Amino acid sequence: MLSAVIVIPLAGVLGWLPRCILKKRGFRHSPSAVTAVFSVHWVAFSLSVLAIGGATQQGPVPSPLSQVLPFVGDTASTNVVMISSLLVGVSYAAMVLLVAFLPRPHYPGPVGGTG
């Protein structure tokens, strides 16, 4: 709870970074490769959040993933959290690298002339 003051704004800035880089490099829209990696990133992020279990004074609380899919055990849920968290970091790094090194777009001139 105490680190939320730092983590939430930092997550916002990191999420905004690829958009800022694209805009600065002259892109008007997100290229397909960046959109695909972005989709993988958010699916992995969602899975990592849904697979995290909780703990209270009364005992452990199963993850939302385990509640929806009861055949998913605690070990599998923990593995999903680890793999998806790793995938979140890798996909974010791939997205930033793609954004930084994609060739700049060449848009045609204005439609209908300048007049």
Side-chain angles (χ1 to χ4, degrees):
M1 293 296 279
L2 296 175
S3 64
V5 176
I6 296 169
V7 170
I8 292 174
L10 183 64
V13 168
L14 288 176
W16 191 42
L17 180 65
R19 180 185 180 276
C20 289
I21 294 172
L22 280 174
K23 191 170 183 174
K24 186 173 183 175
R25 295 192 68 226
F27 284 86
R28 294 182 189 168
H29 62 279
S30 176
S32 298
V34 175
T35 303
V37 174
F38 188 69
S39 298
V40 169
H41 174 77
W42 281 106
V43 167
F45 183 79
S46 300
L47 272 176
S48 67
V49 170
L50 290 175
I52 295 174
T56 63
Q57 289 180 347
Q58 288 79 25
V61 177
S63 68
L65 183 66
S66 296
Q67 290 177 350
V68 172
L69 304 171
F71 57 87
V72 175
D74 292 336
T75 306
S77 187
T78 302
N79 290 339
V80 168
V81 170
M82 290 189 311
I83 292 169
S84 60
S85 296
L86 178 67
L87 191 57
V88 166
V90 170
S91 64
Y92 183 79
M95 186 170 33
V96 170
L97 287 174
L98 272 173
V99 166
F101 293 111
L102 279 174
R104 292 180 186 261
H106 299 285
Y107 294 112
V111 178
T114 59

